[in-house]
Amino acid sequence: MNNLKTFLTLLLLSLTTALAAEDGSRLWLRSEMPDDITLQIDSTMPDDDGYRISGHTVTARTQMGLLYGRYALLRGEQGESHPFYRLRILNHWDNIDGSIERGYAGNSIFWNDSSLFTLNSSLLTRYAEACASIGINGTVLNNVNASPKMLTREYIRRVKDIADILRPWGIRVYISVNFGSPKALGDLKTADPLDPKVRRWWQKKAKEIYKAIPDFGGFLVKANSEGQPGPFDYGRTHADGANMLADALKPYGGIVMWRSFVYGAKHQGEDRVKQAVSEFAELDGKFRDNVILQSKNGPLDFQPREPYAPIFDHMTKTAQMAELQITQEYLGQSKHLVYLAPMWKEFFSYVSPERLVGIAGVANIGLDTNWCGHHFSQANWYAFGRLAWNPMLSSEQIAEEWLTQTFNCQFSIVNSQLKSMMLRSREACVDYMMPLGLHHIFKFDHHMGPDPGGFKADYPIEWCPVYYHRANADSIGVDRSSTGTGATLQYREPYRSLYDNVDTCPEQFLLWFHRVPWTRRLKSGRTVWKELQWHYNHGVEEVDSFAVIWQEAKPCIDAQRWQEVENRLEFQQKDARLWRDVCLKYFSQFALKK
Ligand code: GCW
């Protein structure tokens, strides 16, 4: 009984927090809770946190199911719903000094470089409520480029304090760990995963963590990637490294999420988009059952468009998670309105949701009043949670839910216009940045803005834009076919054959998989050069149309949020033109040589 009493207090609490939020920081959370809602537990329901709603009655097997059902009721849901994935986890690339790698919404809500830093528990409670309202049940609290300090007593205590705030909302905490920690912290002279002293160090560390946080989720690991330490440093494999950590966590039910984002290691010089398969395929089946291989949706790096990552076809005896990027590192950061659900649905059209045991989303959340920098970037946090709960939901339904809960305007022509803007925004971004399969032609380091001619001799070639389009007087694009780098051979049928043949390769991937003359005729009848110009101009026109839609929406949006979005749309219109003009000018020096 007291369980239910706690729970009902919780509901009232969530009501007050939502009410307390001023407009600028209010997320999609609404407070009009029906006063005749009934909550009931039914232990005969399936053993998960699903719910059944009939009228204003929410039935569930667990307390969390009742909480999830309450928010579903507020969204207007009826009927039964169960979580598709048991792991629905945000990855915060937050550093312990309070900065956020690829964060564009202010500093971290978890960390701060002041030794006197105290947690803002009401802020973290609202974060937890927002996550719970869309079914997110886990969060990794720190950057995958992890500081070894994360495993010191002081930081384990901070993790415990955060875990205590998030726990009532069904959110389990995880941390990213630096594989070299035993050595970096000065406890040992090595971090070799086969060294008994190192194994004992991690077992002792796991015991210390679980003493403080009995329901701790586990570790996320970036190893032997972009300078991070890992098992290769000791001549060991990814499996040796992951399994050592998995053994340490196993007694407590913890998991290891091991990232396949590894390039420039053992397969230096190979086409970068092939290296995850080259690194991991031979290890399939060699990982412990509490190791999950976490891979980005595409084989390169969160581009506006990529083909799906073929590693999902190769690891048939290893549990896998997809890593989606909610923060818009390569999609205009928090300055461009880009709704990402269509990108993630595109991924699921190639990698069926059943292939995975969970999904992770690189968070876009910070201390900015509106949490995500751009009001419409909140829709991407929302969409991640909803797709993690049910990957069969459509981008349109999710956009409609978010708009209705976020803006008070009636679901009128304006809302359908706003929905249309959201649904077209990702394709528009592809068009004005990198159409026809172009990729990674960004400015160095910050990745904001175009630099198609980018080359730095002292940088790895895989960081240089010219490596990704190879434009010259004759042609443009990368030959990744079986007669080129062979990347197409990593795909399962029918995609292997489809992509390998330049005549059947979908034009949206043309310059990703093939090197073609500027004069090649495409389906539209236009040449490659003319087609590029068409897409770049179309992307600019689309953003201009978004600005018109937002003007028309003004009467039904509160002034503060309307103006903040208006300012960003004005920037996005200019930035889309910059992308178009810089890229077409650069490529014209080759295309017009004819
Ligand atoms: O795209 C790259 C980013 C890095 C990031 C890395 C990764 C956390 O530029 O900032 O590091 O991917 O995914 O590990």
Side-chain angles (χ1 to χ4, degrees), residues 93 101-102 143-145 222 226 259 261 296 301-302 323 329-330 447:
W93 287 356
E101 183 152 358
R102 310 306 175 189
N143 192 354
V144 287
N145 296 324
K222 172 179 182 179
E226 297 185 334
R259 297 174 83 226
F261 182 71
K296 296 185 179 182
D301 195 6
F302 295 136
E323 181 181 309
E329 173 181 357
Y330 294 102
H447 299 155

Side-chain angles (χ1 to χ4, degrees), residues 77-129:
E77 267 183 51
Q78 288 290 302
E80 187 149 347
S81 179
H82 294 272
F84 190 93
Y85 291 118
R86 61 186 171 83
L87 296 171
R88 310 182 295 278
I89 300 180
L90 286 179
N91 288 186
H92 290 268
W93 287 356
D94 292 29
N95 297 308
I96 54 178
D97 67 359
S99 64
I100 301 178
E101 183 152 358
R102 310 306 175 189
Y104 313 106
N107 275 0
S108 171
I109 60 173
F110 300 118
W111 311 107
N112 178 298
D113 60 356
S114 136
S115 53
L116 307 175
F117 177 59
T118 50
L119 283 178
N120 182 336
S121 58
S122 75
L123 183 75
L124 292 189
T125 299
R126 288 193 32 240
Y127 160 82
E129 181 188 9

Side-chain angles (χ1 to χ4, degrees), residues 68-82:
Y68 292 146
R70 169 194 176 278
Y71 288 109
L73 177 59
L74 283 175
R75 286 194 292 271
E77 267 183 51
Q78 288 290 302
E80 187 149 347
S81 179
H82 294 272

